[in-house]
Amino acid sequence: MNKKSACRALLCAIVMAVSGLAWAQDATLDRARQLIQAKQYRQAFQLLEPHEQARAGDPAYDYLLGIAAIDSGELTRGVFALERVLAVNPNHAQARAEIARAYFLMGENKVARQEFEQVKQARPPAEVSATIDRFLDALDARERSRGTGVTGYLEASVGYDSNVNAATSTNQFAIPALGGGTFNLAPGADKQGDAFFGLAGGISGRYGFNETWGLVGTASFDRRLNDDHSDFDTGVYNVSGGLSARADGNEFLLALQGQRYEIDNDRFRDAKGIVGQWRRAVNGNNELSAYVQHTRLKYPDVSIRNATRTVFGGAWAHAYGGPRSPVVFIGAYFGEEDEMENTVPQFGHDLWGFRVGGQVGLTDRLLMTATIGYEDRNYHGPDPFFLRERHDEEVQLRIALPYSISRHWSVIPALAYTNVKSNIVISDYERAIVSLTARYDFR
């Protein structure tokens, strides 16, 4: 073989080797993209990390490594990788947005806000802008919880309630205390459906003395007006205020609470009490909380129903990484509603229950939220008419699809369902509510 042929053979070998290496690298990136799209971030990070020394400075590699690192909890590594992307391409808006998200997860609020606002100045697509708005809202909430600030909302709703009076659908039943004969409910006392209009609003604020101590307060109202059955119109008015403290990653709250519940514009029940709460962010993705609440219930027109209610509970919440930022939570509680009059044990009960739920982004503007809850109630004494101790099992389900029109305006279609199974027939009922709500948040 002459020198010319040998050189040509060597060149071909080099070209084939380089081509094979490039193909292998591209295959690595393709596989990493597939893993990230499947939300298998840790696997993607483990695939990409061994190549960092050789491929650092390649924007395509660094961008994927940055995303995989952030969503695997390797926040600092992710920032370093994405900074290399910006060093090559300062206008890479996606890399800057991911850096902002990493700083948000680190708790570096000031830097995160600067990065998010810089991305917004580049006029990104509407869906990206909506996502950034959600992060900015979360930053606002964080800063209010640590300092001084006020937030509030107003809502207007329309919908249909299949059972506005929360009544049984059974028209005939026997009453053992009256000889076991068959009785009929009075007309209109059974299950009644109706369209409704609702108006609600609230305001909450915090005044921080320093980074540890602060005063907190909230006030809200919720009015529902039925189309035909105005005698079941309701109004709920809440107020609370107390002291909050933060120390070593823990948050504590001690507050007084009050509520007035109206039916047909008349006071039905008043509630006054106190609540203590503890909350701790275990890391950037998990939060634990616990609470105890003691309330005195007063019924102005039926004083024998007056009671004290004490509930203990706790919850865990987990936020997953990724573009749709799913969040799940689970909570459980137990307690007692103790009748004040010793002669009416049928009005008091022991209770326990749980709630499970979460949310996920379907698009950058559309969320889906869902919760399901269960409560079990065992009453303290036999019902004087049905001659048995009442036992209720209640299931509640709510699904909503909040759609963000802008940072302040949203529309929320929702479905709520309640099913109470009771061994006292007149306490057994089902209820479904469909609604459409327009909401304005001010900050």
Side-chain angles (χ1 to χ4, degrees):
M1 179 182 295
N2 56 34
K3 287 184 178 182
K4 194 171 185 179
S5 298
C7 288
R8 184 179 294 115
L10 179 60
L11 180 59
C12 288
I14 292 173
V15 169
M16 291 178 67
V18 171
S19 298
L21 178 60
W23 180 89
Q25 291 175 341
D26 289 343
T28 299
L29 297 188
D30 288 343
R31 178 57 181 159
R33 289 189 188 95
Q34 293 171 2
L35 290 170
I36 290 172
Q37 289 171 357
K39 300 183 180 180
Q40 297 177 9
Y41 304 109
R42 172 58 62 179
Q43 293 91 323
F45 180 70
Q46 292 171 344
L47 174 66
L48 294 168
E49 184 187 24
H51 303 280
E52 186 171 12
Q53 185 174 358
R55 301 207 63 178
D58 176 357
Y61 169 83
D62 285 332
Y63 180 64
L64 294 176
L65 176 65
I67 293 175
I70 291 170
D71 287 314
S72 299
E74 304 284 347
L75 301 177
T76 303
R77 294 284 298 276
V79 170
F80 286 158
L82 294 167
E83 290 285 5
R84 294 196 296 265
V85 177
L86 293 180
V88 177
N89 182 3
N91 297 320
H92 198 299
Q94 296 96 326
R96 190 171 298 281
E98 292 295 336
I99 288 175
R101 183 167 69 92
Y103 282 126
F104 174 87
L105 295 173
M106 290 179 188
E108 299 288 344
N109 297 340
K110 184 176 180 180
V111 181
R113 184 180 294 277
Q114 291 172 347
E115 295 289 347
F116 280 128
E117 290 178 346
Q118 188 167 344
V119 176
K120 286 205 71 173
Q121 290 175 2
R123 299 183 181 277
E127 60 274 13
V128 176
S129 182
T131 300
I132 292 173
D133 283 343
R134 289 205 296 272
F135 277 106
L136 292 173
D137 290 344
L139 286 169
D140 289 343
R142 270 188 191 174
E143 291 169 359
R144 281 193 303 272
S145 70
R146 298 180 181 179
T148 299
V150 177
T151 185
Y153 70 94
L154 285 172
E155 292 182 345
S157 304
V158 293
Y160 182 83
D161 187 336
S162 70
N163 193 354
V164 295
N165 53 340
T168 181
S169 58
T170 302
N171 291 314
Q172 293 184 336
F173 49 86
I175 300 181
L178 300 179
T182 300
F183 290 82
N184 295 322
L185 284 176
D190 59 348
K191 179 179 178 180
Q192 301 292 320
D194 203 356
F196 67 84
F197 169 76
L199 187 64
I203 187 169
S204 63
R206 185 182 191 276
Y207 177 79
F209 299 115
N210 49 47
E211 290 191 0
T212 300
W213 295 97
L215 289 175
V216 295
T218 64
S220 66
F221 73 94
D222 189 343
R223 289 279 295 164
R224 178 170 292 186
L225 306 177
N226 297 304
D227 189 20
D228 294 323
H229 298 284
S230 61
D231 48 335
F232 294 110
D233 291 351
T234 60
V236 184
Y237 306 90
N238 298 289
V239 63
S240 70
L243 190 66
S244 70
R246 299 172 59 91
D248 300 325
N250 299 288
E251 295 185 26
F252 301 92
L253 171 69
L254 184 66
L256 298 175
Q257 297 178 320
Q259 183 189 81
R260 174 169 172 163
Y261 182 67
E262 296 180 349
I263 298 178
D264 195 18
N265 296 314
D266 291 329
R267 285 171 63 195
F268 176 72
R269 184 189 66 211
D270 295 329
K272 298 177 182 178
I274 187 169
V275 61
Q277 180 176 304
W278 164 80
R279 184 172 63 182
R280 179 179 178 84
V282 180
N283 51 41
N285 300 94
N286 294 280
E287 181 178 278
L288 295 174
S289 63
Y291 67 91
V292 57
Q293 184 179 41
H294 181 76
T295 309
R296 179 168 180 170
L297 305 174
K298 182 178 180 181
Y299 296 82
D301 296 329
V302 194
S303 61
I304 61 172
R305 293 195 60 184
N306 293 349
T308 58
R309 180 182 174 93
T310 304
V311 177
F312 300 85
W316 166 76
H318 178 77
Y320 294 88
R324 300 304 174 207
S325 303
V327 178
V328 296
F329 72 87
I330 182 169
Y333 60 92
F334 67 94
E336 179 184 29
E337 192 166 303
D338 190 24
E339 66 281 359
M340 292 185 180
E341 292 283 348
N342 293 330
T343 59
V344 286
Q346 70 272 18
F347 290 141
H349 61 268
D350 298 324
L351 63 101
W352 66 271
F354 65 86
R355 294 177 68 236
V356 179
Q359 71 172 41
V360 64
L362 301 180
T363 71
D364 291 301
R365 290 186 176 271
L366 181 64
L367 293 175
M368 182 177 72
T369 66
T371 59
I372 184 168
Y374 172 84
E375 183 171 289
D376 187 280
R377 297 184 290 270
N378 281 294
Y379 286 74
H380 293 164
D383 184 280
F385 293 102
F386 292 91
L387 305 180
R388 64 175 65 179
E389 292 184 1
R390 179 175 159 189
H391 177 217
D392 293 350
E393 294 181 285
E394 179 173 340
V395 175
Q396 292 188 344
L397 171 67
R398 187 176 188 274
I399 300 174
L401 296 170
Y403 180 79
S404 174
I405 299 173
S406 67
R407 190 179 177 194
H408 298 284
W409 283 100
S410 58
V411 293
I412 309 169
L415 168 65
Y417 173 74
T418 301
N419 187 337
V420 177
K421 295 296 185 184
S422 177
N423 61 351
I424 303 295
V425 63
I426 59 174
S427 300
D428 194 287
Y429 72 90
E430 284 186 287
R431 186 177 192 177
I433 302 172
V434 292
S435 62
L436 180 65
T437 300
R439 179 181 173 110
Y440 180 81
D441 289 279
F442 60 90
R443 304 171 175 87

